[in-house]
Amino acid sequence: MEAIGRRRWTISGGHIPLESNGPEPAFTSRDEIAVLNCSGKAARLRIHIHYADRPAVGPYEVEVAGRRVRRIRFNDLIFPEALPLGEDFGAVIEADVPVVVQFSRFDGGAQPRNAVATAAYAERNLRGGRQ
Amino acid sequence: MPNTPWSATSDNLDQDCHNWSGGLRFRPSRLEVPESEEAVAALVRTAARQGRCIRPVGSAHSSSEIYLTDDILVSLAKIRGLGDHDAQRHRATVGAGSQLTELSKELQAAGMTLSNFGDVATQTVGGAIGTGTHGSGRNSPNLSMMLVGGRLVTAEGEIRALGFDEEPDLLRALRVSFGTLGILTWATLELEPLHDLHRQEWCLGFEPCMEALDRLSRENRNFDFYWYPRSDEVKIRCLNTPGEEKDYGAFARLAKDETGPPHAVIPQHSDLPHRFEEMEYSITAEAGTECLGKLRARIKERWRRWVGWRLLYRYIKADDSWLSEAYGRDSVSISLHQNATLPYWDFFLDLEPIMRDHGGRPHWAKKHSLRAAELKSLYPMWDRFLALRQEMDPHGRFLTPYLRRLLGC
Ligand SMILES: Cc1cc2nc3c(=O)[nH]c(=O)nc-3n(C[C@H](O)[C@H](O)[C@H](O)COP(=O)(O)OP(=O)(O)OC[C@H]3O[C@@H](n4cnc5c(N)ncnc54)[C@H](O)[C@@H]3O)c2cc1C
């Protein structure tokens, strides 16, 4: 199948909720991306995390097999550095083949602030190209 | 070239030395990389004449200060490789500067293998033995227990042949002595005939793992697990002789399945590009789960915000090496990790008392805050070790200010 999507995606409203309630990992509060790779080959993702008050950290390297979807919790990324919970961040996601990225948050804290399911922002990064 | 993270063009350094994690930096007055055992001995004789201190170093993977010096640092990187060996008795004499990865390939060609490894195989023989480096398994002692003989350069700069049968107490003291009794040049190791192991990793929840833990740890040759603080999940790692593995599919998801010789399937993180800091304590196997429970509660309550790294729980068979973490008791070790680029010390210091409350003994090569007064009560053979050390190195040739505080001498 032909690749669908973009090679570069961004998320600006990251903030992993600190508190969780209920059995884990199902009820762990989290910021998560779901990555759909429709192409026939594995997609290699390089993620850079940006913060409000310090330099960006990355790349976090993740692979998504061809013709698969993979959910990646920002909570679980530890290389090169674990993301702090409860802190604002933005993410720039670069893939070596076009993919579709969807961002979501599950906040299971005692006073959940919001639940978000939103498309990340995809840049039209192949000048004039279809992808 | 020295087998260390820093590079030196000759025996003089043009830059600071640092350890694997980058957290320790120091500048020795000289870095020596002798070509032979005789050259090591000559170096120690010169140091003795000049009243200087000399510290051996392996791959500098340790994150405690046990090899730091501002005086002479000696790398055994050129004393490496497989020497005399007997595949029938599976014994081999190997250079103490041999890196375990490289040595394992030579041993494989000779039909032998180390019986166990830690998580990496980038240590040297001298460094792994000297700190009681271990893997995991109820019937697997630490790697120092392989040492049955060899050759040591003493504080006077003499070359002394070693043999467990001739001098058992010397070997019991020497096995875990982090270069404070002498410099090991050649190590005679008790090995195993070459064989394959089947490695399987399974993911499951914390509670099901705890329920099955006793069985899991008994029915696998090598068994350990990671607990992930930000998902409360567990990954168990099981290694067995092919055909003797168990199927945990009823309550766990298979995440990895591979078969190969021990050096290919036990150490899995030798090429890890990212650095971390680590604190590790060993406690009795019986106290393990209670201690783990308290650590887990504390991490969830206080540290999850900053710490994403897993906690590692391993088994070590009791031994009789005087300063071994597992001296006289079947043990479990619990390791805490944090990215080297993030603050780690407050996290470690907050959890260290829990491990100490359970009679924990710190890993000599990793972060801890203990000094002689606290350590003495943890090691029944402490005084005998110190007496032997004083006898073998009366002028403190192998001591530094850190080691004097650590040992209380
Ligand atoms: C990524 C990583 C993974 C690790 N995994 C494990 C693990 O799974 N299990 C575990 O138990 N530990 C583990 N460790 C700790 C590691 O095994 C120890 O730090 C070990 O000592 C490293 O060996 P080295 O060759 O780097 O020795 P160094 O750190 O260079 O030296 C260690 C000590 O040995 C002494 N020494 C070195 N050579 C000689 C010699 N020839 N004669 C006398 N003394 C000598 C030094 O003076 C020093 O006191 C790990 C460390 C890292 C960084």
Side-chain angles (χ1 to χ4, degrees), chain B residues 208-227:
Chain B
C209 177
M210 288 302 109
E211 278 158 31
L213 189 61
D214 194 57
R215 172 164 74 92
L216 292 170
S217 66
R218 289 181 197 284
E219 65 188 18
N220 290 289
R221 178 193 191 268
N222 302 102
F223 171 83
D224 62 15
F225 69 86
Y226 283 125
W227 170 67

Side-chain angles (χ1 to χ4, degrees), chain B residues 116 133-135 137-145 316-319:
Chain B
N116 207 1
T133 291
H134 60 89
R138 278 200 184 259
N139 289 314
S140 300
N142 69 33
L143 273 55
S144 315
M145 286 302 281
I316 318 167
K317 185 181 160 77
D319 64 43

Side-chain angles (χ1 to χ4, degrees), chain A residues 67-80:
Chain A
R67 301 208 178 99
R68 292 284 187 281
V69 64
R70 180 170 172 191
R71 286 176 178 269
I72 299 154
R73 292 185 181 189
F74 285 103
N75 314 33
D76 294 339
L77 298 176
I78 56 166
F79 295 135

Side-chain angles (χ1 to χ4, degrees), chain B residues 1 31 71 75 97 115 119 126 147 160 204 349 382 393:
Chain B
M1 285 293 285
L31 169 65
D71 210 340
S75 162
S115 50
D119 264 9
L147 186 74
R160 179 169 175 175
L204 66 164
L349 287 183
W382 186 261
D393 179 21

Side-chain angles (χ1 to χ4, degrees), chain B residues 20 55-62 66-67 76 96 118-120 123-124 126-128 130-134 178-179 182-184 276 278 280 314 363 365-366:
Chain B
W20 176 87
R55 290 301 301 150
V57 67
S59 303
H61 270 39
S62 301
I66 46 177
Y67 48 81
L76 279 280
D119 264 9
V120 296
Q123 308 94 334
T124 62
T131 55
T133 291
H134 60 89
F178 33 92
I183 302 176
L184 191 65
F276 57 83
E278 184 173 358
E280 178 185 315
R314 296 189 272 193
H363 195 305
K366 303 182 185 180

